[in-house]
């Protein structure tokens, strides 16, 4: 057919059955699918979001919010595949992208998707039923009857609310695929849901600047707090950030170096690393409108290393950068454009260098030239290193000087045994596992007794003895020990 121009066109309408079944295989996990629906709730200004699921009798997953809700026409638009052009301008806080998330995320897990919404006192509801589409071969949605709505999980709660939206998944064929026990399968599939949502939305569940906290619950239990940057720890090092300006907006890069393991409680390690641990969660944290999109990666700009495990770089991008960052439908993957990648590559040595110093010199000032370490590092050959007891340590020098010739030879043999017996592999393994010494730190009395013995051995003043390893590793106790030494 001709459209009245010299260009001849022909309309080819996609087969709804084939297209919907294909879109179900986009690659959502249960966690990423639910996160996509929560994006819609946040964009609708919800202050409370409940995720509930149950495998008893008639298994379901439901997401209920108290947001703005939709009008009947707004609901029809929302239920249409491709409801928004991804190239169209969006509100600055909009977490949507392709106009596909509600449908694609839901039907990646289920065959029946029902949306009930309330706005201005009016309740509207529509349902995608893949069996109806398959039977008709058309893009038909079902208008649920009042009796059907009354049977929906959580329907009574949205009916009694002022506004909001309820999304219900039923006929969970993909979610329970290949399992004879749907209850066990749902438990397995949702085992990481709390952790995933807690991290992805951690800037929403905590108050940030002028943004109030959003309450998120799973089966009535609030999400645990997460903060990859440990903003409440005074030993954290904020580094100088950067703003990358572009015609589409500004990318803000804010780096941090976490405190050394010795300055972290087990709760803070969990707060910062979650299930990944500190080493696995190092690198860039990319946020799109405060929503975490991708994290714990260096974008192949540098490999993950033990010395970099304390480095976290917060990267904030506006939704105007979606195309440049190659944001996918699931909003779970993104790649920085070349001009950003180049700038990040230049900054990595600065970020990681601070982390390396923190790991290596935890608990002391690295610029203190009077510092005497108990161990010395050497590189006997290129690519090799070793640690030995520092024979220049004041305590070692003083003790060796008090011995006769045979005693010094025996003492040197003992130091050699200690140096060669240093369990490097075990120490490295413990560091990678984010483990801490069994005692958080020696008590003041123990350190004071050690300081007095070192004073007697070396003849140092109270000030100088506090620069000897290991006393210098406890700067928080320095003044109290000095007062005890001078008493």
């Amino acid at each position: 057919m001709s459209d009245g121009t010299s260009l001849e066109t022909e309309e080819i309408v996609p087969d709804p059955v084939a297209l919907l079944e294909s879109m179900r295989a986009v690659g959502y996990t249960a966690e990423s699918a639910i996160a996509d629906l929560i994006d819609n709730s946040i964009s609708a200004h919800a202050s409370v979001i409940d995720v509930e699921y149950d495998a008893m009798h008639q298994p379901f997953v439901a997401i209920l919010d108290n947001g703005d809700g939709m009008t009947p026409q707004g609901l029809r638009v929302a239920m249409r595949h491709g409801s928004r052009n991804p190239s169209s301008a969006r509100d600055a806080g909009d977490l949507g992208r392709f106009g596909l998330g509600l449908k694609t995320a839901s039907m990646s897990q289920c065959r029946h998707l029902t949306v009930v919404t309330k706005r201005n006192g009016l309740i509207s509801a529509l349902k995608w039923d893949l069996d109806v589409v398959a039977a008709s071969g058309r893009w038909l949605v079902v208008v649920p009857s009042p009796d059907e709505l009354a049977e929906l999980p959580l329907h009574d709660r949205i009916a009694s609310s002022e506004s909001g939206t309820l999304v219900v998944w039923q006929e969970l064929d993909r979610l329970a695929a290949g399992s004879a026990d749907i209850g066990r399968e749902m438990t397995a599939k949702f085992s990481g849901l709390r952790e995933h949502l807690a991290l992805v939305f951690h800037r929403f569940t905590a108050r940030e600047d002028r943004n109030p906290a959003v309450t998120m619950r799973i089966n009535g239990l609030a999400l645990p707090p997460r903060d990859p940057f440990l903003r409440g720890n005074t030993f954290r090092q904020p580094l100088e950030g950067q703003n990358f300006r572009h015609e589409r907006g500004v990318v803000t890069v804010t780096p941090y170096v976490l405190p050394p393991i010795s300055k972290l409680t087990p709760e803070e390690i969990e707060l910062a690393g979650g299930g990944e641990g500190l080493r696995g969660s190092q690198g860039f944290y990319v946020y799109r409108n405060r929503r975490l999109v991708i994290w714990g990666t260096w974008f192949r700009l540098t490999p993950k290393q033990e010395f970099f495990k304390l480095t976290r770089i917060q990267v904030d991008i506006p939704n105007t950068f979606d195309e440049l960052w190659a944001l996918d439908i699931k909003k779970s993957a993104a790649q920085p454009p070349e001009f950003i990648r180049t700038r990040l590559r230049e900054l990595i040595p600065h970020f990681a260098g601070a982390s390396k110093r923190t790991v290596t010199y935890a608990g002391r000032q690295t610029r203190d030239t009077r510092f005497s370490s108990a161990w010395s590092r050497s590189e006997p050959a290129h690519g090799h290193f070793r640690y030995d007891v520092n024979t220049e340590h004041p305590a070692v020098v003083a003790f060796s000087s008090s011995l006769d010739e045979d005693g010094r030879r025996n003492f040197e043999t003992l130091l050699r045994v200690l140096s060669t017996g240093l369990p490097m592999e075990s120490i490295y393994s413990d560091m990678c596992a984010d483990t801490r010494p069994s005692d958080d730190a020696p008590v003041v009395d123990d350190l004071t007794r050690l300081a007095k013995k070192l004073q007697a051995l070396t003849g140092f003043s109270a000030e100088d003895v506090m620069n000897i390893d290991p006393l210098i590793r406890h700067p928080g106790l320095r003044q109290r020990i000095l007062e005890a030494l001078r008493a």
Side-chain angles (χ1 to χ4, degrees):
M1 70 183 261
S2 173
D3 61 359
T5 69
S6 59
L7 181 65
E8 186 172 330
T9 63
E10 181 178 342
E11 184 177 15
I12 300 178
V13 179
D15 177 81
V17 180
L19 184 57
L20 286 178
E21 289 294 340
S22 298
M23 291 175 63
R24 301 185 76 198
V26 166
Y28 279 97
T29 63
E31 293 97 334
S32 62
I34 292 176
D36 216 338
L37 300 190
I38 291 177
D39 287 343
N40 296 335
S41 297
I42 292 175
S43 295
H45 311 107
S47 61
V48 179
I49 303 170
D50 280 298
V51 178
E52 297 199 7
Y53 61 90
D54 192 354
M56 300 296 290
H57 307 303
Q58 295 181 337
F60 73 89
V61 177
I63 298 91
L64 173 67
D65 69 55
N66 67 342
D68 298 333
M70 293 175 278
T71 64
Q73 178 58 27
L75 175 59
R76 283 192 289 272
V77 172
M79 292 293 271
R80 185 179 67 214
H81 287 75
S83 57
R84 289 285 301 272
N85 186 333
S87 300
S88 299
R90 292 180 177 271
D91 293 339
D94 193 344
L95 297 181
R97 165 63 171 150
F98 293 95
L100 290 170
L102 169 62
K103 290 77 63 177
T104 307
S106 298
M107 288 188 284
S108 72
Q109 309 296 319
C110 70
R111 295 191 68 80
H112 293 179
L113 161 64
T114 305
V115 179
V116 185
T117 188
K118 186 175 183 180
R119 186 167 187 171
N120 298 327
L122 180 61
I123 293 180
S124 310
L126 289 175
K127 174 182 178 181
W128 275 110
D129 184 333
L130 295 187
D131 297 322
V132 170
V133 175
S136 65
R138 299 170 60 193
W139 296 92
L140 297 179
V141 293
V142 176
V143 180
S145 68
D147 289 342
E148 288 180 277
L149 291 180
E151 295 294 324
L152 281 177
L154 279 60
H155 180 264
D156 57 333
R157 289 170 57 181
I158 191 169
S160 62
S161 65
E162 292 186 6
S163 64
T165 298
L166 169 65
V167 178
V168 180
W169 299 348
Q170 294 170 309
E171 296 298 323
L172 308 171
D173 62 332
R174 288 294 183 95
L175 184 60
S179 174
D181 187 336
I182 187 172
R184 183 180 302 173
E185 188 65 16
M186 286 183 70
T187 299
K189 290 286 181 65
F190 288 152
S191 61
L193 179 62
R194 285 173 52 78
E195 185 63 42
H196 181 81
L197 297 183
L199 185 58
V200 168
F201 296 105
H202 76 90
R203 292 175 67 180
F204 291 91
T205 55
R207 182 178 178 84
E208 183 179 78
D209 300 328
R210 296 182 179 179
N211 300 294
V214 177
T215 299
M216 297 188 192
R217 300 179 293 231
I218 299 178
N219 283 346
L221 189 62
L223 297 182
R226 288 290 175 265
D227 181 5
F229 311 106
L230 292 181
R231 291 175 174 82
N233 190 301
T234 57
F235 292 96
R236 184 193 65 162
Q237 302 175 53
L239 304 179
E240 183 179 357
Q242 297 274 338
N243 288 329
F244 302 155
R245 301 190 178 277
H246 186 269
E247 60 183 10
R248 296 200 182 190
V250 178
V251 175
T252 302
V253 179
T254 311
Y256 301 94
V257 175
L258 301 189
I261 296 294
S262 62
K263 301 298 181 183
L264 297 178
T265 65
E267 292 76 20
E268 285 177 318
I269 293 175
E270 179 72 10
L271 182 69
E276 295 294 326
L278 294 180
R279 192 176 194 276
S281 54
Q282 62 182 271
F284 295 106
Y285 284 66
V286 178
Y287 295 83
R288 176 182 180 267
N289 291 351
R290 298 172 58 223
R291 194 261 208 205
L292 188 57
V293 174
I294 188 170
W295 61 92
T297 177
W298 290 109
F299 294 121
R300 298 186 179 181
L301 300 177
T302 188
K304 288 188 176 182
Q305 300 182 39
E306 179 63 24
F307 282 128
F308 296 171
K309 75 177 184 181
L310 299 179
T311 306
R312 305 284 186 279
I313 301 100
Q314 178 177 322
V315 182
D316 283 291
I317 63 173
N319 57 17
T320 52
F321 272 74
D322 289 348
E323 183 180 350
L324 295 178
W325 280 78
L327 185 72
D328 70 350
I329 290 178
K330 305 184 299 296
K331 295 192 285 290
S332 60
Q335 285 294 326
E338 180 59 32
F339 81 97
I340 294 292
R341 192 162 56 246
T342 299
R343 300 286 295 276
L344 293 178
R345 183 184 291 110
E346 294 171 352
L347 292 173
I348 284 176
H350 169 62
F351 301 156
S355 178
K356 182 174 181 177
R357 289 191 297 273
T358 302
V359 172
T360 308
Y361 305 109
R364 66 177 174 83
Q365 297 294 322
T366 61
R367 296 180 181 177
D368 194 334
T369 57
R370 298 172 299 165
F371 172 73
S372 296
S373 174
W375 295 87
S376 62
R377 183 182 186 275
S378 60
E379 297 185 9
H382 179 68
H384 298 273
F385 67 91
R386 61 177 296 151
Y387 281 88
D388 297 283
V389 175
N390 181 15
T391 57
E392 300 300 320
H393 189 282
V396 175
V397 171
F399 182 71
S400 179
S401 300
S402 68
L403 302 174
D404 58 24
E405 186 174 347
D406 287 340
R408 280 195 294 272
R409 282 197 295 267
N410 292 334
F411 183 52
E412 290 171 0
T413 300
L414 174 61
L415 295 183
R416 187 62 180 163
V417 168
L418 295 175
S419 297
T420 56
L422 185 66
M424 298 286 287
E425 295 82 0
S426 297
I427 294 172
Y428 182 77
S429 176
D430 286 338
M431 290 181 67
C432 291
D434 300 335
T435 52
R436 307 170 72 251
S438 57
D439 295 323
D440 188 21
V443 297
V444 175
D445 290 345
D446 291 340
L447 291 174
T448 301
R449 283 192 290 270
L450 177 61
K452 289 180 177 179
K453 291 178 180 179
L454 287 172
Q455 264 193 298
L457 180 63
T458 62
F460 282 11
S461 67
E463 288 285 346
D464 287 339
V465 82
M466 290 305 298
N467 291 316
I468 295 179
D469 198 6
L471 296 174
I472 199 171
R473 297 183 185 274
H474 305 277
L477 303 178
R478 179 184 179 91
Q479 193 57 40
R480 293 173 63 185
I481 297 173
L482 282 173
E483 291 173 359
L485 292 177
R486 293 165 178 162

